[in-house]
């Protein structure tokens, strides 16, 4: 339970390992950020490690995460994504425009389109352009006025991976927790990202997600 400061305001209690039991996992599970939204337990894992440009807040409103603004550049046939400054990946690499372009190109690869490809289909992937380290120009094949809202609605398919990342590499995101261990179908362990861009967060030392076969097994545990 939270401790209480002398002024009466509840202050978060630091430390501890949050253990969460979830169903829906299996031996073929992965920590690949491009496949994070395929299942609820997959999203729970990915959410510790990775982050999208925008997502839906609890009130269903658009909430900026790795992006600070997504605005039309003259018309809704061309957009600028302005990125958050001072964000680093877990391996210390600075986050920036190249990572967003790589992620969008990977998702929209015509030879192997991924889960987010449908919502991103209006993007002219060949025209993606790095304006500067923290700005990406996104041209569209057709006007796309709901672009930011669509990114937010399907955030769980649109986690940003570092430029050049493949599934042969260790998990490497910008999220509040870093990869420690993962046994598909059994459990995954994540530890505090001490260089997280949100000051003072996360409060926990670790998060452990434990796989169970069904809700009854979770309850019994």
């Amino acid at each position: 339970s939270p401790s209480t400061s002398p002024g009466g305001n509840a202050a978060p209690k630091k430390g501890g390992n949050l253990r969460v039991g979830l169903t829906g996992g299996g031996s073929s599970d992965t920590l690949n950020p491009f496949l994070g939204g395929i299942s609820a337990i997959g999203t729970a894992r990915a959410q510790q490690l990775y982050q999208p440009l925008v997502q839906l807040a609890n009130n269903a409103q658009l909430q900026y995460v790795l992006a600070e603004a997504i605005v039309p550049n003259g018309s809704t046939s061309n957009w600028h994504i302005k990125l958050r400054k001072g964000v680093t990946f877990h391996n210390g690499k600075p986050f920036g425009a190249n990572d967003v372009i790589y992620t969008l190109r990977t998702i929209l690869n015509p030879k192997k389109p991924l889960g987010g490809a449908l919502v991103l289909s209006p993007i002219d992937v060949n025209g993606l352009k790095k304006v500067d380290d923290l700005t990406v120009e996104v041209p569209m094949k057709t006007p796309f006025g709901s672009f930011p809202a669509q990114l937010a609605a399907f955030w769980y398919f649109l986690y940003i991976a570092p430029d050049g990342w493949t599934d042969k590499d260790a998990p490497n995101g910008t999220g509040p927790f870093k990869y420690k261990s993962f046994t598909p179908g059994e459990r995954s362990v994540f530890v505090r990202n001490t260089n997280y861009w949100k000051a003072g967060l996360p409060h926990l030392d670790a998060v452990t997600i434990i796989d169970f076969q069904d809700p009854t097994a979770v309850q019994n545990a």
Side-chain angles (χ1 to χ4, degrees):
S1 62
S3 59
T4 303
S5 66
N9 295 323
K13 187 175 182 180
K14 290 281 190 178
N17 177 15
L18 176 65
R19 293 161 54 88
V20 182
L22 296 173
T23 61
S27 60
S28 62
D29 286 355
T30 175
L31 294 181
N32 186 322
F34 302 120
L35 306 177
I38 289 179
S39 66
I41 191 171
T43 302
R45 295 190 196 99
Q47 191 73 356
Q48 312 312 312
L49 297 166
Y50 300 99
Q51 295 180 298
L53 296 169
V54 291
Q55 63 185 23
L56 291 179
N58 291 338
N59 61 1
Q61 297 299 306
L62 185 150
Q63 181 181 50
Y64 285 101
V65 186
L66 292 180
E68 287 194 330
I70 302 175
V71 295
N73 180 38
S75 76
T76 60
S77 291
N78 191 286
W79 291 78
H80 274 185
I81 301 175
K82 299 181 183 298
L83 305 175
R84 190 174 297 280
K85 184 179 180 181
V87 178
T88 59
F89 286 95
H90 295 156
N91 67 354
K93 175 189 176 296
F95 159 74
N98 289 337
D99 308 303
V100 174
I101 291 173
Y102 174 75
T103 296
L104 294 177
R105 285 178 175 166
T106 301
I107 292 171
L108 288 165
N109 182 348
K111 295 181 180 179
K112 191 179 180 181
L114 300 176
L118 182 61
V119 69
L120 299 178
S121 60
I123 291 178
D124 175 8
V125 70
N126 294 322
L128 289 169
K129 179 182 176 182
K130 176 182 176 180
V131 178
D132 57 46
D133 287 345
L134 295 175
T135 309
V136 177
E137 184 172 310
V138 185
M140 301 295 175
K141 293 176 286 188
T142 184
F144 193 22
S146 65
F147 180 47
Q150 295 298 319
L151 289 176
F154 291 90
W155 57 269
Y156 44 86
F157 280 128
L158 304 174
Y159 290 111
I160 302 300
D163 184 16
W165 189 92
T166 73
D167 58 9
K168 295 179 181 179
D169 299 321
N172 182 28
T174 61
F177 294 91
K178 300 191 296 183
Y179 166 80
K180 182 178 181 181
S181 65
F182 173 52
T183 305
E186 295 184 21
R187 71 177 56 212
S188 42
V189 181
F190 310 98
V191 294
R192 183 204 306 266
N193 174 11
T194 56
N195 294 317
Y196 189 44
W197 57 269
K198 289 188 178 182
L201 295 177
H203 299 304
L204 293 164
D205 290 331
V207 173
T208 299
I209 297 175
I210 307 168
D211 297 49
F212 288 90
Q213 291 185 348
D214 54 62
T216 301
V218 175
Q219 187 175 12
N220 290 340

